């Protein structure tokens, strides 16, 4: 029997919440780019790994997982126990997902080809920095995970592609809350982990970086060895009353710039003439996120996303930020370094 309209009581609800999973499914339907769903399946594996990493970070001090383990990675950097744990968690989550054929990590010398990889649709390489900013670990500071996905052609899985070819990229910030920020090339969205239910919940609006900020983020202790254009730019910022903000973890520093505007820099220095940050799993994904949010990403000589990669672990100078701030710095660099 039909219920008379007069007794249908409208239910009052809060604004609908969207989880990362429903977002990925909707995005996939909208683009229709991957009938096999493997792209969203892979991003979902990264979000799953992020929840595990966040949990391991919370209890690391209790479990005795802080501190170095005495090994040095391919970058010549001392590995922390949590670098290794985060790397294992990501590899474990990703290696069995349909579509993943190659993995590349800051913590592994070479690209890892996934044994028995199967893909009925897209074939993807996933590059990541499992735990960025690891010098913050022992002091309870913010750290992050950065990821970058490319569709690769059969027979050419090991080719490294420029950042412009990314099909998904983003980062996870482990701070007071666990924040997942990503782009699929149609803007940038942010999700916050609700630890009570284990879901990443989407924040209402896509992220747009302010056209100009009031702070810069750089390791200022290196300023004497920066090229002159960087020094002039920073001096001009100080004259204009900019604040200096530096957490020492790229994810935390770039996240601040994305939300509040300004500029993040890792210039060439005497010690690191190509800069310190890695193109494939630090600079490229962050640059794409910033560009998708209306910002800019440059090496000082051109767009980060246009750099033709030569090796998995290559370094590039990094300038990321609000379009006006990046333009002001590039103008100084053009006047001569
Ligand atoms: P870390 O070595 O602690 O992992 O990529 C590495 C990185 O941190 C970035 O997260 C950070 O922005 C930068 O290095 C910090 O380097 P400095 O200590 O030279 O400032």
């Amino acid at each position: 029997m039909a219920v008379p309209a007069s007794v249908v009581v409208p239910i009052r609800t809060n604004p609908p919440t969207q989880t990362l999973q429903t977002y990925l499914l909707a995005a996939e339907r909208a683009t229709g780019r991957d009938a096999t769903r493997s792209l969203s399946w892979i991003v979902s594996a990264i979000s799953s790994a992020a929840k595990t990493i966040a949990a391991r970070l919370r209890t690391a001090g209790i479990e005795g997982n802080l501190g170095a383990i005495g090994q040095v990675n391919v970058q010549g950097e001392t590995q922390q126990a949590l670098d290794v744990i985060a790397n294992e968690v990501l590899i474990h989550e990703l290696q069995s997902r349909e579509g993943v054929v190659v993995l590349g990590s800051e913590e592994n010398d070479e690209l890892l080809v996934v044994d028995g990889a199967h893909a009925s649709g897209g074939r993807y390489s996933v590059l990541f920095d499992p735990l960025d900013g690891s010098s913050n670990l022992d002091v309870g500071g913010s750290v992050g995970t950065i990821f970058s996905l490319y569709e690769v052609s059969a027979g050419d899985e090991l080719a490294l592609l420029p950042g412009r070819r990314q099909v998904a990229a983003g980062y996870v910030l482990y701070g007071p809350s666990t924040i997942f920020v990503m782009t699929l090339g149609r803007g940038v969205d942010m999700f916050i982990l609700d630890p009570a239910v284990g879901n990443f919940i989407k924040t209402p609006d896509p992220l747009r970086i302010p056209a100009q900020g009031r702070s810069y983020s750089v390791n200022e202790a290196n300023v004497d060895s920066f090229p002159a254009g960087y020094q002039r730019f920073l001096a001009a910022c100080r004259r204009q009353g900019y604040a200096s903000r530096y957490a020492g973890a790229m994810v935390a520093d770039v996240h601040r710039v994305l939300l509040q505007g300004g500029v993040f820099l890792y210039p060439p220095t005497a010690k690191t003439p190509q800069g310190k940050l890695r193109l494939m799993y630090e600079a490229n994904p962050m640059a794409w996120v910033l560009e998708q949010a209306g910002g800019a990403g440059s090496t000082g000589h051109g767009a980060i996303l246009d750099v033709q990669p030569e090796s998995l672990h290559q370094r590039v100078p990094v300038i990321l930020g609000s379009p006006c701030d990046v333009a002001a710095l590039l103008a100084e660099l053009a006047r001569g370094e």
Side-chain angles (χ1 to χ4, degrees):
M1 190 184 78
V3 181
S6 56
V7 298
V8 175
V9 181
I11 300 168
R12 289 188 48 185
T13 56
N14 293 324
T17 54
Q18 192 178 22
T19 65
L20 180 58
Q21 303 306 323
T22 54
Y23 168 90
L24 288 171
L25 288 176
E28 200 171 70
R29 259 185 239 120
T31 58
R33 69 182 310 279
D34 186 355
T36 66
R37 304 215 162 139
S38 38
L39 182 59
S40 50
W41 191 229
I42 296 167
V43 175
S44 142
I46 295 169
S47 76
S48 223
K51 290 178 210 171
T52 306
I53 295 169
R56 300 298 298 270
L57 287 169
R58 270 197 301 276
T59 54
I62 304 167
E63 291 167 352
N65 280 333
L66 294 178
I69 52 165
Q71 288 176 28
V72 172
N73 68 12
V74 65
Q75 325 290 324
E77 295 162 350
T78 306
Q79 283 182 315
Q80 305 287 309
L82 284 162
D83 285 328
V84 176
I85 292 171
N87 195 40
E88 283 170 357
V89 168
L90 275 156
I91 292 173
H92 175 77
E93 286 284 351
L94 285 165
Q95 66 187 357
S96 56
R97 295 281 166 139
E98 179 174 343
V100 176
V101 292
V102 172
L103 296 173
S105 164
E106 185 197 3
E107 302 301 333
N108 295 99
D109 298 7
E110 307 288 343
L111 288 166
L112 310 172
V113 178
V114 176
D115 261 359
H118 56 297
S120 49
R123 300 163 63 81
Y124 297 93
S125 64
V126 187
L127 308 181
F128 50 87
D129 180 352
L131 216 45
D132 171 72
S134 35
S135 65
N136 278 1
L137 286 169
D138 289 352
V139 295
S142 294
V143 290
T145 295
I146 310 175
F147 63 90
S148 167
L149 269 74
Y150 292 83
E151 192 161 7
V152 291
S153 26
D156 208 11
E157 289 87 354
L158 296 181
L160 294 173
L161 300 170
R164 203 62 78 192
R165 299 273 303 274
Q166 290 170 106
V167 293
Y171 60 83
V172 187
L173 172 61
Y174 309 100
S177 49
T178 302
I179 294 175
F180 193 101
V181 172
M182 69 168 295
T183 182
L184 295 167
R186 296 154 66 97
V188 178
D189 285 297
M190 177 162 96
F191 304 81
I192 298 172
L193 181 63
D194 179 345
V197 291
N199 277 336
F200 280 102
I201 306 296
K202 186 173 168 299
T203 57
D205 298 315
L207 300 184
R208 296 296 295 171
I209 189 170
Q212 184 169 14
R214 299 298 299 163
S215 69
Y216 60 78
S217 185
V218 65
N219 186 341
E220 231 162 351
N222 296 328
V223 72
D224 291 345
S225 71
F226 291 166
Y230 287 92
Q231 297 186 8
R232 287 194 301 270
F233 169 76
L234 292 170
C237 288
R238 286 192 291 272
R239 283 196 301 277
Q240 291 164 43
Y242 274 50
S244 165
R245 293 284 180 270
Y246 194 62
M250 184 194 199
V251 169
D253 286 318
V254 172
H255 186 67
R256 172 192 288 276
V257 166
L258 176 57
L259 296 191
Q260 299 189 337
V263 64
F264 169 87
L265 312 172
Y266 210 110
T269 67
K271 195 171 148 205
T272 56
Q274 296 306 312
K276 178 183 179 191
L277 302 177
R278 275 56 60 110
L279 174 66
M280 297 309 292
Y281 43 79
E282 292 181 316
N284 270 337
M286 291 309 221
W288 200 35
V289 167
L290 268 278
E291 279 201 9
Q292 283 291 314
S298 173
T299 62
H301 298 285
I304 291 171
L305 296 178
D306 292 329
V307 174
Q308 183 61 48
E310 285 164 10
S311 66
L312 174 60
H313 299 292
Q314 88 185 68
R315 300 173 193 264
V316 281
V318 168
I319 301 167
L320 294 168
S322 295
C324 296
D325 291 306
V326 173
L329 170 53
L330 293 181
E332 283 300 344
L333 294 181
R335 282 181 52 208
E337 298 191 0

